[in-house]
Amino acid sequence: MHINKKSRAAAGAFVVAILAGGTAACGSDSDSSDMSPAAAVKAASEKNEKITSLSYKIKGTYPGQGKVEGAAQMSVKPAAMSMKLTTDTPGQPGEVEIIMVDEAMYLGGTPEAAEEMGGKRFLKMDLSGLDQAGKGAAGGPGKVPGQVGQNPAAESGFLDGADDVKKIGTATVEGEKTTQYRGTVAVKDLRASLKDEKAETRKQREKSLKQYEDLGVKNLTMDIWITEEDRTKQFRMQGDTGQGKLDVTMTFGDVNKPVTVKAPPASEVMDLAEMMKDVEAEPAA
């Protein structure tokens, strides 16, 4: 028995979604359009830390994965996520459904996955303890637990470190009037600035920043669209890597509304841990 290409692709696609991170924000009595660009971005970033749940859409290009597009809903505490994602990864294009709940991740959800796994629609990966143990290569399954369920505002906070934040203009995003801001920051400067952050904020941003460092990103260019209610509606991140262009946009819908995520029926699940036991038990050729 082996772990097929579609399962590996699904795992990679899941990391894409988490790395894209993004941001969303709670409402406020202030109007970001009346603030300086730096103040507007900082105000939205600070409110993002109060997020408990959100829904969003993701679209763009990720190094090694090609184009990605999907939609998700997630809860920060307890950590849970439900996502459907489409990729055009060279040689392995397709759709994948990702469910994360109760310290387990389920990948698959398509007829193609069921065909590859003897009728089982989902591959289950146990996430408990992986992050603490530091298992897995950068960007691999061992890094997933630290990102899943993390407040996505950790990403938008990076724009606070840009010295060139400027107002680009106004735009209507999914029916909401927004003001767009843009800035560029060096990843090395982001790393240096972490020492000045609060412990919890620093912990969140370190996990996200490590992913960009592993990709070889030197500079991040970020755009953020903030509504008249001081809520971030959309977030775009771009950067050059050794594997190609990173360019991902996240657009946000519901914020701090109840999110329910359920594990797939046991009859539809193949457990990765059990698969590995079977592999180890097989006699050597």
Side-chain angles (χ1 to χ4, degrees):
M1 186 175 293
H2 65 283
I3 303 174
N4 58 72
K5 290 183 178 180
K6 289 185 181 294
S7 298
R8 291 198 299 269
F14 173 79
V15 176
V16 171
I18 303 304
L19 292 183
T23 173
C26 304
S28 143
D29 294 331
S30 61
D31 186 344
S32 60
S33 63
D34 294 332
M35 304 179 187
S36 70
V41 169
K42 185 173 181 60
S45 176
E46 290 177 345
K47 291 180 176 62
N48 291 339
E49 297 179 8
K50 300 177 182 179
I51 294 170
T52 59
S53 64
L54 69 156
S55 64
Y56 60 90
K57 293 185 291 188
I58 177 173
K59 185 175 183 178
T61 303
Y62 190 84
Q65 298 290 338
K67 294 181 180 179
V68 298
E69 184 171 359
Q73 59 174 353
M74 67 169 292
S75 168
V76 177
K77 290 183 180 181
M81 172 181 284
S82 174
M83 170 179 282
K84 291 186 178 180
L85 195 71
T86 300
T87 72
D88 70 348
T89 305
Q92 300 176 13
E95 299 180 351
V96 63
E97 184 175 352
I98 305 112
I99 298 173
M100 202 291 293
V101 66
D102 298 331
E103 296 189 305
M105 180 171 67
Y106 303 84
L107 306 171
T110 65
E112 291 79 10
E115 183 178 348
E116 292 286 333
M117 296 188 292
K120 305 291 186 179
R121 296 178 61 242
F122 290 91
L123 177 67
K124 177 183 178 181
M125 299 174 63
D126 183 8
L127 303 182
S128 61
L130 289 181
D131 190 47
Q132 293 83 351
K135 299 177 182 178
K143 294 298 181 182
V144 171
Q147 296 293 332
V148 176
Q150 176 180 310
N151 186 338
E155 301 288 331
S156 70
F158 289 161
L159 192 54
D160 293 346
D163 296 326
D164 63 344
V165 178
K166 59 184 178 182
K167 178 179 176 179
I168 300 301
T170 58
T172 300
V173 180
E174 295 192 336
E176 294 191 67
K177 295 180 179 180
T178 69
T179 302
Q180 179 185 356
Y181 301 92
R182 178 179 299 159
T184 300
V185 64
V187 171
K188 65 177 182 180
D189 292 339
L190 289 173
R191 170 64 67 184
S193 69
L194 291 179
K195 66 180 185 299
D196 299 323
E197 300 291 348
K198 294 182 295 184
E200 184 60 27
T201 301
R202 181 171 62 252
K203 181 180 179 181
Q204 292 178 345
R205 293 185 181 179
E206 281 178 342
K207 291 176 180 178
S208 297
L209 185 58
K210 181 63 165 58
Q211 306 283 1
Y212 296 109
E213 293 173 331
D214 290 342
L215 283 172
V217 177
K218 301 298 182 183
N219 298 288
L220 287 170
T221 297
M222 293 162 281
D223 288 76
I224 187 170
W225 287 259
I226 302 176
T227 70
E228 295 176 334
E229 290 74 32
D230 198 19
R231 183 177 69 85
T232 302
K233 180 63 179 179
Q234 188 166 267
F235 182 72
R236 181 183 185 186
M237 184 172 287
Q238 302 178 75
D240 293 318
T241 79
Q243 305 173 52
K245 180 76 172 182
L246 168 69
D247 186 352
V248 180
T249 298
M250 300 188 78
T251 306
F252 298 88
D254 293 334
V255 175
N256 292 342
K257 292 187 177 181
V259 169
T260 300
V261 179
K262 296 182 179 180
S267 61
E268 298 183 1
V269 174
M270 177 175 287
D271 194 307
L272 177 60
E274 294 301 321
M275 288 175 61
M276 297 308 295
K277 287 181 181 179
D278 291 342
V279 170
E280 294 172 356
E282 290 179 357

